[in-house]
């Protein structure tokens, strides 16, 4: 019996999409009872369209999702993250493998929470074999995380304090050099509230009161950003 | 009636000589003090001159001359000497003074000599010297001396009975004294003029002048002079036959006499009493009259002090008794007075005595004797040319000599008329003199008023001008201040613009780096990744060696990816650098200046300093200080290395060190350069500390410290 898998590859770089396709082809060539119906899309508009179509017909078994995608033409979809959320809504059984070049902890954590993918690949970690392994693992119903993600998990579990979403966002914004004045526009809090949180974060990370740099370095070291 | 008139004449003669004498005494005393003072001055001058080592011979000679002049003048004053040798001394003094060079010193001596010469009746010398005094003083405009000289003339003329000339000179003196506001001398001149007018029977005119003098004396509290005025007023009112007033003024005179020093009083009291007695005699209050006379007579040693006065008193008492109808001892007393007068050749006294005796004989009906004595009196009066006595004697004769009565009466009337005409002439002359003087004084006063006006006007205009000038300067200063403030403001604006621009620049650069980082990360990295994976799935079907090589290149590609990722991260992570904005500006500045000054410059800042949190004010001033310091380095220090260090101390004290290895300078040199002053004032603005230390040939260190707390925004 031949198992047919519907696969959707979403990546704006044709060369990468092609590489993923090669991986599926490789697996398909290895075992004769597996057959992949592969669809490739290069932008979010097409991706959403395909997902919507599939949700009404045969569905999709595996999605290979790139996070850094250009926004959709209607502006509703800003990145792969939003597509992932959409897939979760429309195709709850679909297995999502996120592949991204990001390796900053904050983004990874956010994506883990919002998309909850079966596989999480950091492109830099991945080579041919790992790519194949990840697809196989996910197909076998186990999650697959590449080593940077696993490293993050390890760091997080070793820390006994918890930071909420806003704390993390604050740290992240600070780390990319956002000005304090602009923060209230990004984080839904007042300036005073932000300052208070910052102070609290400094206590948590045990850094000097006015030393923002040290705070960010420490947070980075601890894997929060 | 006849007797009365003769008595009146007698008294007048006495009184005029009496007052004149007193006046003279006063003047001498006054002059003595002035002379003494001048002496002292001369003495000091001499001492002063002799103290100087570089004395010229000429000056030495002069001091010898001064000594000799002083001694000659002293000789002229020595009462023990004969009149002639006194005069000689004065002449010699005059001769020496003539050899002096300085006109002003000459004039001083002339003035003294003139005074003494007048005293000694050395007529010729007096006239010569006094004339010189007037010429020289006029040249110098010394009004006091001019007045003094005129006074001397006046004394001389009044002594010689040239009344109109005396009056003229008193007037000139008065004019001068008044102009220089010498009140005491002015009053004296007024009194003298009044006295002369009184003598000429211009009693009302005299009264006015005496009152004028009296007012001044009262102001100056000159009791003796006040006495003289009252006394003379008493005499004037007696002549005007206002006897009550006369008595009032004589009493007043006596009252003031009590206030005068004893040694100055002399026989003044007796004189006044005698005058009072005469007034009572006129009032026919003979008892009181005799009482007054006798009171005067009581005075000790009167006979030896003034025998004339003594004789006059005796005569007056006897005559008053005779008028009272009491003939006891009258003849003997009249005779006694006559004999005393005769024995001392007091001719005018003898005339009076003879008249009184004649009256007595007439009363006793011894007409022969009476006529004989009256004639003798007339002859004697003619001899001494005393008009008043002549008149009185003629009047007496017209009464006693019944036969020739009409002839004598005609003579009397004729003489009286001619005298009156003469007196009126002189009085007119006086009026003219006074009028002219008044005009002169008025004009001078007008001129001096004008002078005052001009001075006040000039002063006011100068005041106005200086005020305007002051206001202008003030306004200019204000403008300058405002300008300075504006400059300061624009300076700060420029700086904040600089900061803004710097941060914009930084932002732009940052954005660009972000863009590159992103492009590398998303674009290049992704493509390489795709390529790598794609390559991995390619099956070359080659041998093992080829497969291994393929794997190697693929791994290499992965390494390249890692490197690119690292670069991308580095590009982003510069965000965390504290070297932003202000520090960049400082670095730019240093780059510029070090290129200009050809020195190496390094700047360091503690990592803890967050320039964003430090107020612009601090940053601006620190920037300017660094700028100034570097400017100094370029201009003076000849340094080839400058280190700038920013330190944060205790989290809120910011320290700045600027250290060079130049030639240094002397810190104790008070002439601080404008640069150092500017730095100091900037540090002061920050309420900070500013210190400079410098070692010659080693270098200079500038230290600024301020708190970041107080000024924090």
């Amino acid at each position: 019996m031949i198992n047919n898998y519907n696969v959707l590859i979403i990546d704006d770089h044709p060369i990468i999409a092609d590489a993923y396709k090669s991986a599926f082809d490789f697996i398909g060539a290895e075992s004769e009872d597996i057959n992949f119906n592969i669809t490739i899309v290069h932008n979010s508009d097409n991706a959403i369209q395909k997902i919507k179509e599939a949700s009404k017909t045969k569905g999709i078994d595996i999605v290979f999702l790139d996070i850094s995608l250009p926004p959709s033409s209607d502006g509703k979809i800003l990145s792969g993250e939003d597509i992932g959320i959409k897939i979760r809504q429309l195709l709850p059984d679909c297995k999502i493998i996120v592949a991204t070049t990001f390796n900053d902890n904050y983004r990874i954590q956010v994506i883990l929470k919002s998309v909850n993918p079966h596989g999480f690949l950091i492109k830099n970690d991945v080579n041919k074999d790992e790519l194949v392994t990840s697809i196989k693992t996910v197909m076998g119903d186990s999650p697959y995380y590449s080593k940077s993600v696993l490293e993050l998990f390890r760091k997080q579990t070793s820390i006994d304090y918890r930071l909420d979403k806003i704390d993390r966002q604050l740290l992240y914004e600070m780390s990319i050099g956002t000005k304090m004045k602009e923060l209230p526009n990004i984080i839904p809090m007042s300036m005073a509230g932000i300052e208070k949180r910052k102070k609290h974060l400094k206590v948590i990370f045990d850094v000097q009161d006015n030393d923002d740099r040290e705070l960010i370095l420490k947070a980075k070291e601890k894997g929060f950003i | 009636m006849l007797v009365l008139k003769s008595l009146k004449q007698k008294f007048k003669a006495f009184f005029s000589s009496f007052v004149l004498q007193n006046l003279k005494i006063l003047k001498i005393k006054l002059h003595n003090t002035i002379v003494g003072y001048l002496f002292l001055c001369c003495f000091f001058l001499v001492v002063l001159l002799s103290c100087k080592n570089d004395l010229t011979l000429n000056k030495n000679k002069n001091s010898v001359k001064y000594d000799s002049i002083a001694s000659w003048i002293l000789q002229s004053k020595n009462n023990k000497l004969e009149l002639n040798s006194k005069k000689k001394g004065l002449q010699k003094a005059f001769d020496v003074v003539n050899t002096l060079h300085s006109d002003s010193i000459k004039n001083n001596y002339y003035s003294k000599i003139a005074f003494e010469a007048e005293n000694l009746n050395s007529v010729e010398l007096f006239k010569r010297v006094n004339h010189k005094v007037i010429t020289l003083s006029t040249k110098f405009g010394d009004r006091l001396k001019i007045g003094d000289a005129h006074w001397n003339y006046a004394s001389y003329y009044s002594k010689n009975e040239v009344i109109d000339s005396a009056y003229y000179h008193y007037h000139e003196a008065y004019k001068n004294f008044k102009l220089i506001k010498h009140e005491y001398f002015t009053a004296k001149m007024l009194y003298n003029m009044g006295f002369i007018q009184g003598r000429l029977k211009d009693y009302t005119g005299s009264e006015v002048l005496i009152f004028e003098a009296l007012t001044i004396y009262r102001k100056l509290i000159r009791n003796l002079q006040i006495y003289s005025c009252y006394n003379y007023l008493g005499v004037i009112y007696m002549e005007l036959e206002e006897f009550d007033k006369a008595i009032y003024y004589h009493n007043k005179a006596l009252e003031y006499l009590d206030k005068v020093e004893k040694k100055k009083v002399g026989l003044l009291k007796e004189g006044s009493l005698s005058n009072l007695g005469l007034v009572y005699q006129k009032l026919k209050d003979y008892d009181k009259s005799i009482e007054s006379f006798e009171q005067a007579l009581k005075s000790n040693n009167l006979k030896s002090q003034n025998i004339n006065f003594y004789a006059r008193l005796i005569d007056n008492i006897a005559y008053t008794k005779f008028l009272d109808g009491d003939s006891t001892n009258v003849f003997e007393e009249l005779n006694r007075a006559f004999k005393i007068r005769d024995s001392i050749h007091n001719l005018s006294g003898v005339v009076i005595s003879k008249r009184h005796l004649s009256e007595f004989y007439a009363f006793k009906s011894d007409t022969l004797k009476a006529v004989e004595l009256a004639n003798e009196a007339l002859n004697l009066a003619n001899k001494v040319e005393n008009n008043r006595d002549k008149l009185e004697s003629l009047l007496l004769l017209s009464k006693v000599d019944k036969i020739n009565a009409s002839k004598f009466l005609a003579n009397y009337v004729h003489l009286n008329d001619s005298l009156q005409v003469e007196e009126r002439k002189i009085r007119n002359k006086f009026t003219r003199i006074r009028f002219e003087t008044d005009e002169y004084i008025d004009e001078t006063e007008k001129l001096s008023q004008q002078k005052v006006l001009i001075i006040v006007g000039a002063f006011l205009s100068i005041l106005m001008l200086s005020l305007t000038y002051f206001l202008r300067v003030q306004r200019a200063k204000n403008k300058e201040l405002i300008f300075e403030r504006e400059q300061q403001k624009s300076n700060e604006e420029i700086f904040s613009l600089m900061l803004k621009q710097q941060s914009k620049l930084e932002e732009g650069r940052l954005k660009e780096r972000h863009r590159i980082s992103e492009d590398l990360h998303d674009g290049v990295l992704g493509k390489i990744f795709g390529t790598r994976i794609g390559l991995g799935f390619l099956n070359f079907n080659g041998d093992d060696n080829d497969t291994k090589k393929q794997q190697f290149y693929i791994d290499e590609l992965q390494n390249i990816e890692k490197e690119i990722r690292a670069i991308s991260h580095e590009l982003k992570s510069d965000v965390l650098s504290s070297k932003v904005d202000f520090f960049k500006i400082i670095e730019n500045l240093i780059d510029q200046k070090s290129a200009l000054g050809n020195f190496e410059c390094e700047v360091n800042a503690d990592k803890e300093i967050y320039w964003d949190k430090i107020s612009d004010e601090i940053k601006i001033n620190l920037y300017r200080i660094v700028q100034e310091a570097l400017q100094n380095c370029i201009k003076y220090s000849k340094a080839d290395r400058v280190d700038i260090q920013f330190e944060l101390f205790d989290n809120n004290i910011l320290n700045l060190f600027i250290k060079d290895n130049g030639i240094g300078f002397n810190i104790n040199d008070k002439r601080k350069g404008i640069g150092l002053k500017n730095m100091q004032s900037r540090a002061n603005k920050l309420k900070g500390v500013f210190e400079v230390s410098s070692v010659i040939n080693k270098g200079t260190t500038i230290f600024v410290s301020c708190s970041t707390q107080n000024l924090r925004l």
Side-chain angles (χ1 to χ4, degrees):
Chain A
M1 186 200 164
I2 294 169
N3 282 327
N4 266 322
Y5 289 94
N6 290 324
V7 175
L8 180 62
I9 297 172
I10 307 169
D11 202 310
D12 54 336
H13 298 299
I15 208 170
I16 297 173
D18 212 45
Y20 294 153
K21 188 171 170 288
S22 303
F24 282 106
D25 288 344
F26 183 80
I27 295 167
E30 254 184 1
S31 49
E32 285 175 7
D33 53 347
I34 298 172
N35 184 38
F36 294 108
N37 295 322
I38 300 169
T39 314
I40 297 176
V41 289
H42 297 306
N43 58 53
S44 13
D45 289 326
N46 287 345
I48 292 296
Q49 193 194 337
K50 286 281 175 218
I51 289 160
K52 278 180 180 165
E53 274 173 23
S55 68
K56 283 166 196 162
T57 57
K58 54 196 191 269
I60 296 173
D61 300 299
I62 300 167
V63 173
F64 234 97
L65 182 60
D66 183 24
I67 294 298
S68 43
L69 282 174
S72 66
S73 54
D74 61 2
K76 280 184 183 165
I77 306 297
L78 295 173
S79 72
E81 194 182 338
D82 294 332
I83 296 174
I85 293 163
K86 200 85 185 170
I87 295 167
R88 273 277 161 272
Q89 286 172 6
L90 297 175
L91 305 158
D93 298 330
C94 176
K95 292 183 171 117
I96 299 172
I97 300 171
V98 170
T100 176
T101 43
F102 292 123
N103 70 344
D104 75 69
N105 297 331
Y106 174 71
R107 284 302 297 268
I108 292 169
Q109 280 179 351
V110 169
I111 292 164
L112 278 172
K113 277 209 174 129
S114 59
V115 182
N116 191 17
H118 290 76
F120 205 126
L121 300 180
I122 304 298
K123 285 178 180 170
N124 198 44
D125 298 340
V126 175
N127 56 23
K128 174 197 143 195
D129 294 337
E130 209 182 322
L131 187 59
V132 172
T133 315
S134 69
I135 293 168
K136 281 183 181 168
T137 313
V138 171
M139 279 166 72
D141 279 343
S142 299
Y144 183 91
Y145 300 121
S146 71
K147 66 178 179 197
S148 294
V149 182
L150 291 172
E151 180 72 14
L152 171 68
F153 287 160
R154 194 187 66 77
K155 271 183 193 167
Q156 296 264 306
T157 46
S158 72
I159 292 167
D160 53 357
Y161 46 76
R162 289 189 57 83
L163 301 183
D164 64 12
K165 193 180 146 197
I166 287 173
D167 288 334
R168 286 161 197 274
Q169 196 180 1
L170 176 59
L171 284 170
Y172 172 71
E173 292 294 348
M174 280 167 71
S175 74
I176 62 169
T178 310
K179 284 183 174 150
M180 283 302 279
K181 275 183 245 167
E182 293 164 10
L183 279 180
N185 304 329
I186 298 162
I187 300 166
M189 281 185 84
S190 70
M191 192 74 195
I194 289 169
E195 286 285 350
K196 212 169 159 188
R197 271 189 185 261
K198 205 164 97 180
K199 229 170 195 171
H200 180 65
L201 283 172
K202 281 170 183 166
V203 174
I204 290 174
F205 287 103
D206 188 28
V207 292
Q208 288 279 322
D209 184 33
N210 55 5
D211 202 343
D212 291 356
R213 210 162 79 104
E214 188 71 23
L215 174 66
I216 288 157
L217 288 174
K218 212 66 175 266
K220 206 168 228 175
E221 185 194 307
K222 298 281 184 194
F224 287 97
I225 35 179
Chain B
M1 202 52 214
L2 187 128
V3 181
L4 259 170
K5 282 246 167 109
S6 74
L7 246 174
K8 196 166 103 187
Q9 291 292 0
K10 215 169 90 182
F11 171 72
K12 250 192 261 171
F14 152 71
F15 187 77
S16 57
S17 73
F18 174 70
V19 173
L20 259 175
Q21 212 172 351
N22 275 321
L23 270 173
K24 207 63 207 179
I25 289 166
L26 285 178
K27 203 178 159 190
I28 289 165
K29 278 184 179 160
L30 196 83
H31 262 260
N32 276 344
T33 55
I34 290 173
V35 167
Y37 185 68
L38 283 172
F39 256 108
L40 213 65
C41 287
C42 282
F43 177 71
F44 272 119
L45 199 74
V46 169
V47 169
L48 209 74
L49 287 174
S50 58
C51 278
K52 285 197 173 175
N53 286 332
D54 53 347
L55 251 182
T56 61
L57 208 67
N58 196 19
K59 277 182 180 170
N60 251 327
K61 257 188 204 164
N62 276 347
S63 69
V64 171
K65 278 181 189 171
Y66 297 150
D67 286 345
S68 64
I69 295 167
S71 70
W72 288 128
I73 293 177
L74 213 62
Q75 186 187 328
S76 74
K77 279 196 244 180
N78 193 342
N79 285 332
K80 287 171 195 158
L81 292 175
E82 292 255 325
L83 188 64
N84 255 348
S85 61
K86 284 193 208 173
K87 281 182 181 175
K88 254 182 203 161
L90 211 57
Q91 180 66 44
K92 275 181 182 156
F94 176 66
D95 290 343
V96 181
V97 171
N98 278 337
T99 65
L100 288 172
H101 295 292
S102 164
D103 276 352
S104 62
I105 295 172
K106 257 188 187 172
N107 195 27
N108 279 338
Y109 282 121
Y110 283 150
S111 181
K112 272 184 248 173
I113 292 169
F115 178 71
E116 295 301 334
E118 201 273 322
N119 268 342
L120 296 177
N121 266 332
S122 182
V123 180
E124 203 194 330
L125 182 65
F126 163 69
K127 280 191 172 172
R128 262 170 69 194
V129 178
N130 214 31
H131 180 71
K132 283 193 181 215
V133 172
I134 286 187
T135 336
L136 281 174
S137 300
T138 313
K139 192 174 127 197
F140 291 129
D142 186 346
R143 288 194 183 277
L144 182 66
K145 283 233 166 56
I146 298 173
D148 213 35
H150 279 297
W151 190 351
N152 284 336
Y153 270 134
S155 307
Y156 165 75
Y157 283 123
S158 89
K159 210 189 276 175
N160 291 295
E161 298 279 327
V162 190
I163 295 170
D164 51 349
S165 289
Y167 188 85
Y168 168 75
H169 285 292
Y170 276 133
H171 224 281
E172 283 296 307
Y174 162 75
K175 198 163 79 183
N176 282 298
F177 291 145
K178 179 147 190 182
L179 280 174
I180 57 163
K181 301 212 159 50
H182 194 304
E183 290 194 315
Y184 182 53
F185 283 178
T186 310
K188 285 210 152 194
M189 295 309 110
L190 282 169
Y191 179 85
N192 286 337
M193 280 160 19
F195 187 77
I196 289 176
Q197 278 187 288
R199 267 179 76 181
L200 288 170
K201 295 182 185 158
D202 179 7
Y203 297 121
T204 37
S206 171
E207 185 190 347
V208 171
L209 289 172
I210 298 290
F211 267 118
E212 248 178 84
L214 184 61
T215 321
I216 297 173
Y217 285 143
R218 269 188 162 152
K219 202 172 90 190
L220 301 172
I221 320 179
R222 295 279 187 166
N223 288 327
L224 189 60
Q225 277 70 29
I226 296 171
Y227 157 77
S228 302
C229 287
Y230 279 129
N231 184 48
Y232 197 65
L233 281 172
V235 174
I236 288 170
Y237 282 113
M238 190 175 80
E239 295 295 341
L240 290 170
E241 310 214 326
E242 290 185 43
F243 299 117
D244 289 346
K245 272 191 177 170
I247 289 166
Y248 170 76
Y249 283 119
H250 277 306
N251 280 328
K252 197 113 184 168
L254 283 168
E255 192 181 301
Y256 271 94
L257 199 60
D258 286 342
K259 295 179 189 169
V260 178
E261 275 178 70
K262 279 283 174 291
K263 59 177 178 182
K264 282 188 186 168
V265 172
L267 292 174
L268 290 177
K269 192 174 177 185
E270 288 73 21
S272 269
L273 283 169
S274 162
N275 285 345
L276 201 57
L278 283 176
V279 180
Y280 283 127
Q281 193 192 57
K282 285 263 162 106
L283 270 174
K284 299 202 164 73
D285 191 343
Y286 298 120
D287 289 344
K288 274 197 176 165
S289 173
I290 291 166
E291 192 188 319
S292 287
F293 286 134
E294 277 180 342
Q295 209 179 332
L297 201 58
K298 264 188 218 157
S299 171
N300 291 332
N301 301 326
L302 186 62
K303 199 173 174 181
S304 60
Q305 275 181 23
N306 192 336
I307 191 138
N308 273 337
F309 186 36
Y310 178 72
R312 198 179 307 139
L313 280 173
I314 291 171
D315 183 70
N316 276 337
I317 293 167
Y319 187 62
T320 313
K321 273 186 183 168
F322 162 70
L323 289 176
D324 198 16
D326 176 8
S327 57
T328 30
N329 279 339
V330 168
F331 179 70
E332 287 78 8
E333 289 295 304
L334 283 178
N335 234 354
R336 190 153 80 96
F338 169 65
K339 273 179 183 151
I340 293 169
R341 280 165 164 172
D342 200 31
S343 69
I344 54 166
H345 301 289
N346 180 356
L347 294 182
S348 57
V350 169
V351 173
I352 292 165
S353 274
K354 282 192 173 175
R355 282 213 312 271
H356 284 171
L357 280 168
S358 160
E359 272 186 62
F360 183 77
Y361 281 123
F363 177 71
K364 292 285 180 195
S365 306
D366 188 347
T367 317
L368 208 65
K369 204 103 186 187
V371 172
E372 187 194 331
L373 276 167
N375 267 324
E376 275 175 29
L378 179 64
N379 287 336
L380 213 55
N382 276 331
K383 203 172 149 196
V384 295
E385 289 185 1
N386 188 324
N387 286 327
R388 281 165 303 181
D389 279 346
K390 263 194 236 171
L391 278 176
E392 293 285 339
S393 303
L394 281 172
L395 197 63
L396 182 65
L397 273 172
S398 70
K399 281 174 192 162
V400 242
D401 191 351
K402 304 282 184 209
I403 308 151
N404 294 319
S406 58
K407 191 186 97 192
F408 284 125
L409 204 62
N411 259 351
Y412 171 79
V413 170
H414 176 72
L415 184 61
N416 200 16
D417 283 355
S418 68
L419 278 176
Q420 269 180 8
V421 168
E422 196 66 26
E423 279 169 355
R424 198 170 301 131
K425 264 189 199 162
I426 296 175
R427 280 211 296 258
N428 287 342
K429 216 171 176 180
F430 289 176
T431 320
R432 214 163 48 237
I433 291 168
R434 273 184 73 83
F435 176 71
E436 276 166 10
T437 310
D438 285 349
E439 241 182 12
Y440 177 76
I441 288 174
D442 276 355
E443 200 162 308
T444 318
E445 267 176 7
K446 217 189 266 167
L447 278 176
S448 71
Q449 260 178 3
Q450 268 176 4
K451 215 154 108 191
V452 167
L453 269 176
I454 287 168
I455 288 169
V456 167
F459 178 73
L460 278 178
S461 47
I462 285 170
L463 203 77
M464 290 274 277
L465 277 176
S466 48
L467 205 75
T468 342
Y469 175 74
F470 180 73
L471 281 177
R472 272 218 162 166
V473 167
Q474 201 65 18
R475 203 186 286 169
K477 256 187 197 163
N478 272 349
K479 262 188 189 165
E480 209 174 311
L481 259 172
I482 289 168
F483 177 72
E484 219 167 70
R485 207 179 303 145
E486 270 172 9
Q487 205 179 23
Q488 179 86 14
K489 220 165 139 191
S490 55
N491 255 347
E492 275 168 28
E493 259 166 33
I494 287 169
F495 187 80
S496 70
L497 275 177
M498 250 162 77
L499 271 180
K500 228 178 243 172
Q501 192 181 342
Q502 189 64 33
S503 72
K504 275 252 170 76
L505 211 75
E506 201 63 27
E507 216 177 283
R509 194 149 46 198
L510 223 66
K511 259 189 189 157
E512 190 57 21
R513 287 165 89 154
H514 263 250
R515 197 185 60 76
I516 295 169
S517 158
E518 220 106 287
D519 276 2
L520 279 178
H521 199 267
D522 299 349
V524 179
L525 265 185
K527 279 172 191 161
I528 295 177
F529 166 73
T531 312
R532 177 164 59 85
I533 299 294
L535 273 175
F537 287 109
L538 276 185
N539 201 346
F540 287 117
N541 291 328
D543 53 22
D544 278 359
N545 205 19
D546 282 346
T547 317
K548 260 185 194 164
K549 263 201 172 160
Q550 188 194 8
Q551 194 54 47
F552 171 74
Y553 286 125
I554 288 168
D555 289 347
E556 202 53 34
L557 269 178
Q558 199 169 3
N559 284 338
I560 291 170
E561 268 178 65
K562 266 184 192 158
E563 260 175 51
I564 291 172
R565 187 186 303 275
I567 291 169
S568 152
H569 266 264
E570 247 168 55
L571 278 173
K572 268 191 175 174
S573 71
D574 217 32
V575 169
L576 295 171
S577 164
S578 69
K579 290 186 174 183
V580 282
D581 299 348
F582 178 72
F583 202 72
K584 269 268 146 44
I585 291 174
I586 293 276
E587 275 182 337
N588 287 345
L589 176 74
I590 287 166
D591 286 348
Q592 273 175 27
K593 298 285 174 188
S594 59
L596 267 176
N598 207 9
F599 51 76
E600 268 180 57
C601 188
E602 199 170 292
V603 58
N604 287 301
D606 280 1
K607 284 176 184 167
E608 287 80 29
I609 303 172
Y610 289 91
W611 293 109
D612 281 351
K613 287 194 174 176
I614 291 167
S615 73
D616 277 355
E617 203 186 345
I618 292 178
K619 284 193 280 197
I620 289 162
N621 285 305
L622 288 182
Y623 177 82
R624 295 286 180 212
I625 289 171
V626 171
Q627 193 178 32
E628 199 79 60
L630 289 176
Q631 201 63 37
N632 284 348
C633 285
I634 294 170
K635 274 191 193 160
Y636 313 111
S637 77
K638 295 177 185 162
D640 54 20
R641 183 168 179 86
V642 181
D643 284 307
I644 298 172
Q645 177 79 34
F646 289 100
E647 279 180 6
L648 192 67
F649 186 70
D650 259 4
N651 271 330
N652 58 24
I653 304 290
L654 188 60
N655 292 338
L656 164 65
F657 294 92
I658 304 164
K659 208 180 203 166
D660 70 51
N661 63 349
I663 55 167
F665 67 97
N666 183 10
I667 297 169
N668 296 328
D669 196 342
K670 291 287 171 207
R671 290 173 293 121
K672 265 192 181 178
I674 188 94
L676 281 177
K677 266 185 206 159
N678 278 345
M679 287 192 255
Q680 173 81 64
S681 77
R682 286 190 183 281
N684 289 346
K685 266 185 210 162
L686 301 177
K687 298 188 180 100
V689 179
F690 177 81
E691 276 167 23
V692 188
S693 57
S694 184
V695 180
I696 301 284
N697 291 329
K698 283 274 164 64
T700 305
T701 303
I702 289 166
F703 168 70
V704 183
S705 176
C706 67
S707 167
T708 58
Q709 296 286 323
N710 299 347
L711 292 155
R712 185 179 282 184
L713 289 172

